[in-house]
Amino acid sequence: MIRNYLNDIDFDNVYLTPYFWHIDRKRKNEGKVFLYPLSKAEIHANNLMTPISPPTKAEIRASWLPLAKFTFLLVTALFIVFVDFVFHKIIYNIFTQSNQYPLQISKYTSKYVTSEDQQLFSFKIDGTGFIADLVKEMIEFDYQSHRNVTVSLEKCIYNPISPNWPYVGKYIFFPLAIMLLLQVTFGYVIKRITLFCVIGNIFRKRNKARIIHLYNKMLFVRTNGRKLARARIRFQVQRRILQREEIRQKR
């Protein structure tokens, strides 16, 4: 956009800005030819508009690509949320039925874990003397144990967590709504704000030159149009006079 703005003075130069009418009022005060008001034919023929005019056909066509991207992201987000919701429902139903019908569900699930093991421990000290004998009596022994432990898995089973709808709305659908507004619905507004407020303020001389060029163009169209209209009227009058003279001569 910036390259076209700087190199092509006619690029998107169809907006009637306040500076345009400032030039027109100045010419009016100086007693020169001015444009106000512009006729509907002039506005329509030159595709003129104000910065707050509705979007044009070109701007509407330019919004189709952002709309396609938004639709793809929306469908993807809805699919992911739907899959998450379905999985939650399935797991929740299984968990609920396991609590209501434990005998039937026990065929397919297990709530307990049984562990059976045997431990052997032997500690032997070799040596002679009073200290060695004392330590042997204190430490030297054989240890053998047999354990059978059953642990319930109910504490390890967590209830299925439902989708966090506030989180989904805040971090998925709210950004999508912002994307719809900024890129699709009001994409032309962002473009015009960039054109007038950003680029126009950065390149102020270029902005004024573009507006002056548009004003001179419309002034030329108005002046040339009046000349053509007067010439057309003179031609019609002369033609009418000639026709009347021919009629008189025939009589």
Side-chain angles (χ1 to χ4, degrees):
M1 179 185 290
I2 296 178
R3 182 177 299 177
N4 293 330
Y5 185 88
L6 296 177
N7 296 331
D8 186 6
I9 199 168
D10 288 320
F11 170 72
D12 214 5
N13 191 10
V14 293
Y15 296 99
L16 303 176
T17 59
Y19 187 70
F20 181 93
W21 297 116
H22 170 73
I23 298 173
D24 192 63
R25 287 192 299 269
K26 185 177 180 181
R27 290 180 62 87
K28 181 180 179 181
N29 295 332
E30 293 176 354
K32 298 180 181 179
V33 179
F34 58 94
L35 297 176
Y36 185 84
L38 291 172
S39 64
K40 293 183 179 180
E42 290 175 328
I43 295 175
H44 181 72
N46 297 277
N47 297 322
L48 300 178
M49 66 182 70
T50 61
I52 58 174
S53 296
T56 61
K57 293 182 179 180
E59 291 172 337
I60 293 175
R61 287 194 299 268
S63 65
W64 281 110
L65 181 59
L67 179 61
K69 293 180 179 179
F70 168 78
T71 304
F72 175 76
L73 291 177
L74 179 62
V75 171
T76 304
L78 289 175
F79 177 75
I80 294 174
V81 172
F82 176 75
V83 170
D84 182 49
F85 176 76
V86 170
F87 270 106
H88 166 259
K89 281 297 183 181
I90 294 174
I91 297 174
Y92 179 79
N93 291 334
I94 294 175
F95 182 80
T96 304
Q97 292 178 6
S98 65
N99 292 331
Q100 293 179 355
Y101 308 101
L103 296 178
Q104 297 179 6
I105 304 299
S106 61
K107 298 179 181 179
Y108 309 99
T109 60
S110 177
K111 289 188 175 182
Y112 301 94
V113 174
T114 302
S115 176
E116 183 176 353
D117 61 352
Q118 185 176 2
Q119 296 179 353
L120 299 176
F121 182 78
S122 178
F123 193 84
K124 186 177 181 181
I125 297 177
D126 295 330
T128 58
F130 174 75
I131 301 298
D133 294 338
L134 181 61
V135 172
K136 287 180 182 180
E137 293 178 359
M138 294 176 59
I139 298 179
E140 188 175 12
F141 63 90
D142 292 333
Y143 177 79
Q144 183 175 358
S145 174
H146 180 79
R147 293 184 179 183
N148 188 352
V149 180
T150 301
V151 180
S152 175
L153 295 179
E154 292 183 354
K155 295 183 179 180
C156 300
I157 300 176
Y158 292 95
N159 295 330
I161 301 175
S162 61
N164 190 349
W165 298 116
Y167 181 89
V168 172
K170 182 178 180 181
Y171 293 101
I172 296 180
F173 292 110
F174 181 72
L176 286 175
I178 297 298
M179 177 182 176
L180 176 64
L181 291 176
L182 296 182
Q183 295 187 2
V184 181
T185 306
F186 297 108
Y188 72 98
V189 177
I190 304 300
K191 179 182 176 182
R192 293 182 186 180
I193 291 175
T194 304
L195 185 65
F196 292 108
C197 299
V198 180
I199 301 179
N201 287 327
I202 295 175
F203 305 100
R204 294 186 178 182
K205 292 184 178 180
R206 182 64 177 178
N207 186 30
K208 288 185 177 181
R210 284 167 54 87
I211 298 173
I212 293 172
H213 173 76
L214 177 62
Y215 187 87
N216 292 333
K217 178 181 176 181
M218 293 305 304
L219 190 63
F220 175 78
V221 171
R222 171 72 64 83
T223 305
N224 194 35
R226 287 180 178 178
K227 290 181 179 179
L228 290 175
R230 291 171 183 173
R232 191 179 299 111
I233 292 172
R234 286 195 299 266
F235 174 76
Q236 293 294 338
V237 171
Q238 292 176 359
R239 182 181 178 184
R240 190 69 175 176
I241 292 173
L242 292 175
Q243 288 177 353
R244 289 181 179 179
E245 290 180 354
E246 289 180 359
I247 293 173
R248 289 176 183 177
Q249 291 176 0
K250 289 180 180 180
R251 290 179 180 178

